[in-house]
Amino acid sequence: MVFLTTFISSLLVNNVILSGTKGLCSYIGLSKDKKATLGMSIALIVVCVLSGLISWGLAALLTLINATYLSTIVSILVIASFVQLLEIFIKKFLPSLYKSLGIYLPLITTNCVVMGLAISIFSTYAKYIDGTLSSLDSALTILGMILAYPLGYFMVIYVFAFIQERIQNNNETPRGFKGAAIAFIATAAMCLAIYGFTGLV
Amino acid sequence: MSENKINTADVEKSSEVVNSAESTQKSAVSTKVTDKPKKVKKPNELLKVFTNGIIKDNALLVMLLGLCPLFPSTTSINNAIGMSVAVLFVLFFSNIIISSIRKIVPSNIRVPVYIVVIATLVTIVELLMKAFTETLYEQLSVFISLIVVNCIILGRAEAFASKNSVGKSALDALGISIGFAMVLLIVAFFREVIGTGGITFVNPFTGDTLFTFLPLADFAVPVFVQSFGGFVTFGLVLGVFTTITMWNNDRKMKKEQKEKLALQQAKGGK
Amino acid sequence: MSEELKDKVNKEVTTSQNEASKDTSKENKKQKKVKKAKTKKPLSNFILFPIVLGSVCLISAGAIAGINYLTEPIIARNAEKKYLKSCYKLLGNENIDKTQGTDGLSKADVPTSASYILQAYKVFVTSEFASAHSEYSDFYYYVLQTPSGYKGSVTLACIIAGTYGEDGVLYDMMAIDTTSEDALGAGQLQNVTVKPGYTGEDGDNLLDSGYITSGATAKVTFNAVDTAIKQAIQVFEGKIIPTIGYQKTEDGYEIYYNEHSIENMTYSSFTGYVYIKDEKVYNVEILSSTNTIGAKDNAWLNGGSYSYYEDMLDFTSFSNKYVNATDGVSFDVFSSDPVYVAGATQATEGYVEFIRSTIELYNEHHNK
């Protein structure tokens, strides 16, 4: 139950892009091309799930040695090296996938979604240590977040790719607004739609 | 006459330069860092490095990097100032440190080293903010930690600080931060005025309200303080800025073309 | 116009010339460096990379650890002080007697079964305020985390006034942190005004009670707030059994739940309830004791079976000396040495120490 609540809440109510405003650099840059969005989303799902689990383990480890202030450094190093390893792995064993993903895999290192997920995991684990959440609740919350963050990203960016088609090649868009500016305004309209989900869970 | 020859050749070269500048401006909506290192040691070259980051290579409006901390920190002017100071701190010191160790670090492992340096600075900022400016930290919480994956800082470290001296890197950091702060303040001003009806200043160290001025509180549109308002306001600011830049470039191009035409006519007349 | 153009062109020419000259000078420098480098043997990559990376990591970790060491006490103090500010706001800064306790507050017991209560403090008010509100003898300040409303929970500060342990009413409340809750509920909560008097009985509803005035209703949020406030009032009235602490029954017995450990050969720790009223001990209920011999549940007044060391404790004579259900045994009996039961000296010592530590709890509770 807690899993479902967290999952739906992180997916719809507190969507990572539209409500949490993370992952915007790649969102604006990639959404013009549908294939690119698919590739980026799949890569992001893989990286999020695996590095989320690693961050969970790291949270337990750092709490053991009482050094939670190292969480930022350790998370970013883990994510960076993990993305590098993943790139080498995909290059060797799945070369066709590597070709289609191309440049987007290294870009995930500086993606705020993955880092935001790591930080949320650390703070949920801290709540478990405090005693505010039980162990089962915290575990289910973390699993829900791990799945919901990249899926929420994928949902929004894929829908937005279709919207971008219409607004970018449109003659009515003013010349100065073409590109990022009109993309942001369209995203704002999507935000209004998401607000309808308030109070769902 | 030979003077004229040199002049026309150089005129063509200069118009080429202007054209290439315009094309980089037009492709500014893509997310590439295309900054060339400055190699000339003229005194006003330093000034150029400094003013580069404010308008011409503004990190948010032109290069579209580091957008993630923009939206939650522009909910009020207080938060905008807080985030700007945090980014200034991290960028300034990271540029200085990376620029001073740029000769020692072998180029194959420079990216992990830069990441460690930046992450250290971000953690220090986080701890200091948690200790001394509690209320500000609560508003910005996650996004202070997300400065570590902010493309601006890693991008400037990679493109500028690793190739230039300490002084120039410091100036570059200051310029970029001032440009960043400018955009943040403009967006925050609009969001706060429309979203709450006025301006409220809070002392970040103690949390006490210093100054409240809410003339339009009855007409406030609270949705502007949420993510919708952020997207709309920033989209409009970006659009206006790009339009003004394009008008400016058009005007410059027209001027160059006029001068080119005049010179050709003068040459033809002779 | 052409002057401008000339200047621009000259600038371009000079910059390109400078660039060209700089390039050549750099070439010379590079050649010199290459010559120098050829004489030195470069360190192998496998050694250099870990050294550089490792040293950078170590310096960073050291810097962060240093800053953490400096700021950790400040952060801990901030976390505690965060809730005190709201207390000052609720009662009025001038009405709190800051000379008593720590800044006018002292920590109160929170039963662990009270899940919504984060912190509990007793507030020392100035005498003017106390006489102006003479119908309330105690003011307690609670920080609550309400259950989930529309979207998230609210951190709430409230003052419960009345007689501690008997009856209490909600005096005032204020929302501290509403960022996770939906804007509708949070906004209503921040604009609410409270009149003292809500008693929080079962079946009461905060919104319909008449003690709250707010604009439009945000029922879900206010129901969550109601649940938390009711629990705070129950804790104030002593109706929730603490796992460590204190409960008051209806006929005036104070039941203290205590865990006491002693350095003792046979008995090392006791857990149980002691019934005290008016500085007299009426009953002792041992729930568990850990000892090297064997643990036994026993109720002194009702007899019980014992493990073989406890068999040596003649229960009736022992209990008659130390516990009397009808009249109670006053505290000063326990201040002198116990009469040891032969063969169970340490057991006697342990039991009496347990009662002594509970008497200390009683004294602490009543001198607060």
Side-chain angles (χ1 to χ4, degrees):
Chain A
M1 195 53 215
V2 174
F3 174 76
L4 217 53
T5 313
T6 319
F7 183 75
I8 294 186
S9 147
S10 299
L11 189 66
L12 294 173
V13 180
N14 292 328
N15 185 289
V16 69
I17 297 184
L18 295 176
S19 201
T21 64
K22 298 185 193 131
L24 290 171
C25 298
S26 51
Y27 171 73
I28 293 290
L30 292 181
S31 52
K32 292 189 188 140
D33 177 9
K34 279 195 222 107
K35 272 207 174 143
T37 59
L38 273 177
M40 178 69 166
S41 313
I42 293 179
L44 199 67
I45 291 176
V46 172
V47 173
C48 269
V49 167
L50 293 172
S51 66
L53 294 172
I54 297 180
S55 301
W56 195 0
L58 276 174
L61 184 66
L62 284 181
T63 320
L64 263 178
I65 61 175
N66 206 12
T68 46
Y69 52 86
L70 288 178
S71 59
T72 314
I73 280 195
V74 170
S75 320
I76 185 64
L77 279 180
V78 160
I79 293 174
S81 45
F82 186 71
V83 169
Q84 193 78 356
L85 278 176
L86 195 67
E87 192 182 344
I88 295 177
F89 178 79
I90 290 185
K91 202 173 185 178
K92 199 161 188 196
F93 292 110
L94 302 163
S96 54
L97 183 63
Y98 183 75
K99 226 181 275 181
S100 62
L101 283 182
I103 193 179
Y104 310 119
L105 204 49
L107 270 182
I108 296 180
T109 316
T110 55
N111 197 332
C112 295
V113 174
V114 189
M115 192 66 192
L117 178 66
I119 295 176
S120 305
I121 290 179
F122 272 97
S123 64
T124 312
Y125 194 79
K127 276 196 205 153
Y128 156 64
I129 293 291
D130 264 345
T132 320
L133 281 176
S134 75
S135 65
L136 185 64
D137 272 354
S138 74
L140 291 175
T141 311
I142 291 180
L143 284 174
M145 282 193 308
I146 288 180
L147 285 178
Y149 271 44
L151 284 178
Y153 179 86
F154 171 50
M155 192 176 84
V156 175
I157 201 175
Y158 196 60
V159 169
F160 194 57
F162 287 92
I163 296 179
Q164 282 267 55
E165 256 181 39
R166 294 291 221 97
I167 60 179
Q168 295 295 349
N169 303 327
N170 200 342
N171 282 335
E172 293 178 356
T173 316
R175 193 175 52 131
F177 277 68
K178 270 203 181 132
I182 196 69
F184 275 116
I185 299 180
T187 313
M190 287 175 78
C191 267
L192 281 180
I194 284 282
Y195 286 159
F197 286 116
T198 314
L200 186 64
V201 277
Chain B
M1 238 207 268
S2 59
E3 217 184 285
N4 272 348
K5 261 201 186 154
I6 295 174
N7 279 349
T8 43
D10 288 336
V11 160
E12 280 174 355
K13 198 162 98 185
S14 68
S15 62
E16 265 178 39
V17 168
V18 168
N19 279 342
S20 69
E22 197 199 37
S23 64
T24 51
Q25 282 284 11
K26 272 198 178 151
S27 67
V29 292
S30 72
T31 59
K32 267 168 74 174
V33 179
T34 51
D35 195 19
K36 293 190 207 130
K38 317 273 180 206
K39 285 183 187 165
V40 190
K41 281 206 186 96
K42 271 194 172 173
N44 61 351
E45 202 57 41
L46 292 174
L47 194 64
K48 219 177 193 177
V49 166
F50 177 67
T51 55
N52 208 23
I54 301 185
I55 301 267
K56 196 158 140 243
D57 267 345
N58 189 314
L60 287 171
L61 294 177
V62 172
M63 298 201 283
L64 282 180
L65 296 176
L67 293 168
C68 293
L70 176 72
F71 297 99
S73 53
T74 47
T75 51
S76 80
I77 294 188
N78 256 57
N79 297 348
I81 298 178
M83 177 61 81
S84 316
V85 169
V87 168
L88 170 71
F89 183 92
V90 175
L91 191 57
F92 187 71
F93 284 111
S94 93
N95 262 18
I96 288 182
I97 293 178
I98 290 180
S99 171
S100 31
I101 64 171
R102 75 185 185 277
K103 302 217 168 113
I104 313 177
V105 172
S107 94
N108 286 345
I109 58 166
R110 66 183 194 288
V111 172
V113 170
Y114 297 166
I115 288 181
V116 171
V117 170
I118 297 174
T120 315
L121 288 165
V122 168
T123 314
I124 292 180
V125 167
E126 205 184 316
L127 286 174
L128 289 175
M129 279 186 88
K130 237 199 251 184
F132 295 112
T133 59
E134 179 80 30
T135 42
L136 197 60
Y137 182 79
E138 263 171 32
Q139 300 267 346
L140 296 176
S141 57
V142 183
F143 289 90
I144 297 284
S145 310
L146 283 181
I147 295 179
V148 75
V149 289
N150 195 330
C151 301
I152 300 179
I153 305 184
L154 199 57
R156 290 326 266 177
E158 179 86 22
F160 199 88
S162 59
K163 299 179 185 141
N164 289 287
S165 65
V166 177
K168 270 200 220 158
S169 310
L171 276 178
D172 176 67
L174 281 176
I176 296 266
S177 309
I178 290 181
F180 185 81
M182 251 173 45
V183 178
L184 241 60
L185 283 172
I186 294 175
V187 178
F189 175 75
F190 282 116
R191 277 182 84 180
E192 194 171 5
V193 167
I194 302 179
T196 60
I199 301 182
T200 313
F201 281 116
V202 174
N203 185 347
F205 295 102
T206 56
D208 303 325
T209 321
L210 284 176
F211 172 76
T212 324
F213 178 60
L214 297 171
L216 299 170
D218 297 328
F219 304 101
V221 183
V223 79
F224 261 76
V225 191
Q226 297 176 12
S227 52
F228 166 81
F231 288 126
V232 156
T233 320
F234 182 66
L236 288 172
V237 167
L238 182 60
V240 167
F241 176 82
T242 320
T243 316
I244 293 179
T245 320
M246 282 188 172
W247 283 348
N248 219 8
N249 281 346
D250 282 348
R251 202 166 47 105
K252 265 193 208 158
M253 244 183 76
K254 275 193 189 155
K255 203 165 140 194
E256 299 293 340
Q257 279 182 347
K258 250 190 192 171
E259 284 171 353
K260 194 173 162 187
L261 208 58
L263 272 156
Q264 276 185 347
Q265 281 181 351
K267 181 182 160 201
K270 278 205 176 173
Chain C
M1 203 167 44
S2 62
E3 282 297 315
E4 236 182 62
L5 187 59
K6 250 194 201 166
D7 286 331
K8 218 197 274 178
V9 162
N10 282 338
K11 225 198 241 172
E12 282 290 339
V13 167
T14 42
T15 43
S16 61
Q17 278 177 355
N18 277 353
E19 274 189 28
S21 64
K22 188 141 199 260
D23 278 340
T24 49
S25 66
K26 246 204 170 172
E27 281 283 343
N28 290 339
K29 266 194 194 161
K30 239 192 205 172
Q31 283 176 353
K32 275 193 199 154
K33 248 194 200 165
V34 165
K35 276 191 190 156
K36 244 192 189 170
K38 272 193 178 157
T39 53
K40 248 207 267 176
K41 188 181 167 188
L43 270 174
S44 151
N45 278 352
F46 278 122
I47 305 179
L48 183 65
F49 288 179
I51 289 183
V52 172
L53 201 55
S55 52
V56 171
C57 285
L58 277 176
I59 297 179
S60 317
I64 296 180
I67 301 265
N68 183 53
Y69 177 71
L70 290 173
T71 57
E72 203 169 346
I74 305 181
I75 294 178
R77 233 184 305 140
N78 278 349
E80 278 188 24
K81 272 204 174 147
K82 191 164 73 160
Y83 300 128
L84 303 187
K85 233 187 269 174
S86 323
C87 180
Y88 295 167
K89 264 197 205 160
L90 277 173
L91 277 179
N93 208 352
E94 63 282 359
N95 293 329
I96 299 190
D97 183 6
K98 302 216 178 90
T99 55
Q100 299 192 48
T102 44
D103 297 322
L105 292 157
S106 69
K107 268 196 179 223
D109 294 330
V110 181
T112 43
S113 55
S115 51
Y116 301 129
I117 299 187
L118 294 173
Q119 316 242 346
Y121 296 92
K122 177 184 165 73
V123 186
F124 297 99
V125 291
T126 56
S127 38
E128 300 90 37
F129 188 77
S131 46
H133 298 262
S134 51
E135 67 272 24
Y136 305 122
S137 43
D138 299 304
F139 290 87
Y140 272 67
Y141 168 69
Y142 291 99
V143 179
L144 309 166
Q145 186 85 29
T146 66
S148 183
Y150 285 113
K151 202 164 116 174
S153 73
V154 176
T155 313
L156 197 69
C158 68
I159 302 268
I160 310 282
T163 316
Y164 187 68
E166 287 177 14
D167 52 33
V169 297
L170 173 67
Y171 182 79
D172 199 357
M173 74 175 181
M174 186 173 88
I176 298 181
D177 179 15
T178 54
T179 42
S180 73
E181 171 67 329
D182 174 64
L184 172 67
Q188 291 306 316
L189 201 53
Q190 278 158 355
N191 295 332
V192 79
T193 50
V194 179
K195 243 183 349 186
Y198 178 64
T199 46
E201 305 288 335
D202 283 338
D204 282 352
N205 190 331
L206 189 62
L207 269 179
D208 306 329
S209 64
Y211 293 107
I212 285 211
T213 48
S214 78
T217 51
K219 254 203 168 153
V220 177
T221 315
F222 276 93
N223 282 347
V225 166
D226 194 17
T227 319
I229 297 255
K230 279 191 185 143
Q231 192 183 74
I233 296 182
Q234 279 183 337
V235 168
F236 180 83
E237 296 177 349
K239 289 198 183 131
I240 297 190
I241 302 180
T243 44
I244 293 270
Y246 162 88
Q247 176 198 5
K248 203 164 185 184
T249 63
E250 268 151 22
D251 31 0
Y253 285 97
E254 297 181 26
I255 310 177
Y256 287 88
Y257 177 86
N258 194 8
E259 283 175 21
H260 184 67
S261 309
I262 55 170
E263 307 271 313
N264 186 307
M265 243 174 50
T266 50
Y267 283 88
S268 50
S269 86
F270 291 90
T271 311
Y273 292 112
V274 178
Y275 292 67
I276 301 184
K277 184 165 150 184
D278 298 336
E279 300 207 348
K280 287 190 180 172
V281 177
Y282 283 84
N283 191 5
V284 177
E285 245 175 78
I286 302 291
L287 295 177
S288 67
S289 56
T290 54
N291 53 54
T292 52
I293 315 298
K296 223 31 182 191
D297 295 344
N298 47 60
W300 286 18
L301 293 182
N302 302 328
S305 55
Y306 302 85
S307 67
Y308 70 103
Y309 265 98
E310 287 171 83
D311 283 350
M312 296 191 189
L313 266 177
D314 181 348
F315 176 71
T316 332
S317 64
F318 193 65
S319 69
N320 278 344
K321 184 144 181 67
Y322 287 102
V323 177
N324 187 324
T326 39
D327 301 330
V329 176
S330 75
F331 283 175
D332 33 358
V333 173
F334 296 97
S335 49
S336 47
D337 279 340
V339 173
Y340 295 106
V341 176
T345 325
Q346 315 237 6
T348 323
E349 180 79 46
Y351 273 119
V352 173
E353 271 301 321
F354 174 73
I355 301 181
R356 281 192 193 133
S357 91
T358 318
I359 292 177
E360 267 178 41
L361 274 185
Y362 175 89
N363 287 334
E364 263 181 47
H365 192 267
H366 277 258
N367 285 341
K368 269 196 180 174

